[in-house]
Amino acid sequence: MIDSHCHLDHEPLYNNIDEILKRSKEAGIEKLLTICTTLDSFIKIKQLVKKDEIIYGTYGIHPHETNNNKITTKKIVNEINDNEKIIGIGETGLDFYYNHSDKVDQLDSFEEHINASIELNIPLIIHSRNAEDEMLNIFNKYKNHNLKILMHCFTGSKKFAEKLLEFNVYFSASGIITFKNSLDLQKTFELIPLNNLLIETDSPYLAPVPNRGKKNEPSFVKYTAQKLADIKQISKSELINATTTNFNKLFN
């Protein structure tokens, strides 16, 4: 299995990384992608990717953090070129639900990340909440650039998913699909082709059933894998093989 989105720089994961890695490997995880959200978090991520061969990282600014973490295309490109285990750009995107950062700042930051992705030809890890129309408008603007897009922890509408598939987007399922009140989301994942799916924990957040309410960790991705396999009406091993292949294809 591959946990395509976790935050190993966050507690309680960071200070218990040896135990986290041990349980991850025992669960059958072969890669962990730890996701950058701020300039400070990248300092820890650069250390973490050296900790173990299964850990890879990204570089980017979460939309919540764009007010206080200004970024440029050039800075993103330089940081990634200097760190060979940094394989993606993000977590970037738009969040007009919480609006922790100014809308204009979010849009400007998002486009800097997109331009870096085009220059480097590597994937964007995207957070989207209450921004479906704006997201589609931006993707249409860049439709001739064949962006590599991963919609992380996808919780969008069925209509949004159908539109995104026109851009050959990848969708990552988190523990949310195991929640009892996520029936609409489960139906959306039914329609998404297997070749466009990944799995993630978003740990230490969003622990899946049966561990809902606990601090999440990468080894719990097995529960999301099982639920997604049930939704797609395939075996867990088939689901794991497909999502692993998809991750390796997307991230080259």
Side-chain angles (χ1 to χ4, degrees):
M1 288 180 292
I2 295 176
D3 184 354
S4 67
H5 194 111
C6 56
H7 297 278
L8 299 180
D9 61 304
H10 292 202
E11 299 300 350
L13 304 182
Y14 186 71
N15 280 331
N16 296 282
I17 191 63
D18 291 334
E19 296 173 21
I20 296 299
L21 283 167
K22 181 175 183 292
R23 289 194 289 269
S24 296
K25 292 174 182 179
E26 288 172 350
I29 292 175
E30 66 178 50
K31 292 187 184 74
L32 298 169
L33 186 60
T34 186
I35 306 295
C36 184
T37 55
T38 66
L39 297 174
D40 285 343
S41 83
F42 191 60
I43 296 170
K44 290 182 178 178
I45 288 170
K46 286 189 288 185
Q47 298 168 346
L48 284 163
V49 297
K50 296 176 183 177
K51 175 75 177 176
D52 195 282
E53 64 181 5
I54 74 169
I55 303 177
Y56 293 81
T58 69
Y59 181 72
I61 305 301
H62 193 287
H64 288 343
E65 309 291 343
T66 56
N67 281 4
N68 300 316
N69 291 263
K70 301 301 181 184
I71 203 78
T72 64
T73 299
K74 182 178 180 181
K75 181 170 179 58
I76 298 169
V77 170
N78 288 342
E79 289 285 8
I80 292 175
N81 281 337
D82 287 344
N83 297 276
E84 64 179 15
K85 290 189 76 180
I86 305 303
I87 61 173
I89 294 173
E91 173 176 356
T92 183
L94 303 172
D95 192 315
F96 301 144
Y97 179 80
Y98 287 109
N99 285 311
H100 289 323
S101 289
D102 179 78
K103 184 173 183 177
V104 173
D105 283 343
Q106 290 190 49
L107 289 163
D108 288 347
S109 179
F110 190 24
E111 294 217 32
E112 296 288 350
H113 288 78
I114 290 171
N115 288 328
S117 173
I118 293 168
E119 184 168 340
L120 294 168
N121 193 31
I122 62 175
L124 288 157
I125 293 88
I126 293 178
H127 170 110
S128 176
R129 191 158 186 194
N130 280 33
E132 294 187 359
D133 290 342
E134 292 89 347
M135 194 67 66
L136 290 172
N137 287 339
I138 289 171
F139 289 162
N140 273 311
K141 178 179 175 181
Y142 291 94
K143 63 183 178 182
N144 294 326
H145 291 278
N146 296 315
L147 296 176
K148 295 180 177 181
I149 300 166
L150 172 55
M151 301 301 294
H152 126 77
C153 188
F154 185 74
T155 56
S157 67
K158 181 180 177 181
K159 181 179 178 182
F160 188 35
E162 290 171 338
K163 291 288 187 181
L164 288 170
L165 283 169
E166 297 174 11
F167 300 96
N168 196 32
V169 163
Y170 288 77
F171 301 79
S172 184
S174 73
I176 293 175
I177 67 166
T178 70
F179 298 172
K180 290 181 180 179
N181 62 351
S182 69
L183 294 179
D184 286 344
L185 183 62
Q186 291 171 21
K187 290 177 181 177
T188 298
F189 271 95
E190 274 186 57
L191 73 87
I192 298 172
L194 185 59
N195 288 343
N196 293 79
L197 293 177
L198 301 179
I199 50 175
E200 67 166 272
T201 58
D202 203 14
S203 52
Y205 314 105
L206 301 175
V209 175
N211 294 322
R212 190 173 183 184
K214 298 179 181 179
K215 288 293 185 180
N216 202 2
E217 64 174 77
S219 64
F220 294 172
V221 77
K222 62 188 177 184
Y223 300 113
T224 300
Q226 181 63 66
K227 183 63 177 182
L228 190 55
D230 293 343
I231 291 169
K232 303 301 287 184
Q233 298 184 336
I234 59 176
S235 68
K236 183 180 177 183
S237 62
E238 187 178 350
L239 186 283
I240 289 170
N241 287 338
T243 54
T244 298
T245 297
N246 295 343
F247 179 95
N248 289 329
K249 179 181 178 181
L250 177 61
F251 289 94
N252 196 29

